[in-house]
Structures are given as C-alpha cells and as structure tokens.
Amino acid sequence: MRFDREKLEALAALPDEKLWAEVVRIADMYGYSLPKETPSHTDLEKMRGAVRSDKINVSEALKLVNQYKKK
C-alpha cells in the first residue's frame, strides 16, 4: 500500500475538528462508522505522530481509531 506523504502531512496539519471530520469521512467511504464527536487533542496527536514519523505506522493509527470507536 502506498501513501502520499504530502497528503498525510496536509491532513496532520489540520485543526483537530477538521482532521477528525476527514478521518470520519474517509472511514465512511470504506464502510466504517466512527463517532462524529472529536476525540481529545492528545488522542489526535498520537494519530498525527503515527503518520508523521519516518516510517508510517498504519497499525498504530488504526489501533487508535478502533479504541476511539469502542468508546
């Protein structure tokens, strides 16, 4: 799976509410339903960190999303 690093950086730079809205929109495109309520800034920073590192940690990002989905 290939990722467009520029797009990921652009997403990570969004304010919390807009970032989460994009995550919810993308998840919906693939048949996943996520809560509309924006997670805490700390949780979103963890997600940003997973995609900003030199090696994109998709499993960590998905783990964070799944944890939030269960709340």
Side-chain angles (χ1 to χ4, degrees), residues 37-55:
E37 180 182 311
T38 305
S40 71
H41 179 73
T42 303
D43 288 342
L44 288 175
E45 281 301 307
K46 289 178 186 176
M47 196 177 302
R48 286 179 177 107
V51 298
R52 281 186 171 157
S53 62
D54 289 335
K55 184 177 179 188

Side-chain angles (χ1 to χ4, degrees), residues 50-67:
V51 298
R52 281 186 171 157
S53 62
D54 289 335
K55 184 177 179 188
I56 298 169
N57 191 339
V58 177
S59 63
E60 182 64 24
L62 290 174
K63 179 179 160 187
L64 293 167
V65 169
N66 282 330
Q67 286 175 348

Side-chain angles (χ1 to χ4, degrees), residues 6-56:
E6 289 179 20
K7 286 183 181 178
L8 287 175
E9 284 294 327
L11 281 172
L14 291 173
D16 290 352
E17 293 78 21
K18 289 184 179 184
L19 171 59
W20 187 247
E22 281 299 304
V23 170
V24 170
R25 184 186 68 77
I26 292 167
D28 188 54
M29 287 174 25
Y30 290 94
Y32 295 97
S33 178
L34 296 174
K36 304 285 187 222
E37 180 182 311
T38 305
S40 71
H41 179 73
T42 303
D43 288 342
L44 288 175
E45 281 301 307
K46 289 178 186 176
M47 196 177 302
R48 286 179 177 107
V51 298
R52 281 186 171 157
S53 62
D54 289 335
K55 184 177 179 188
I56 298 169

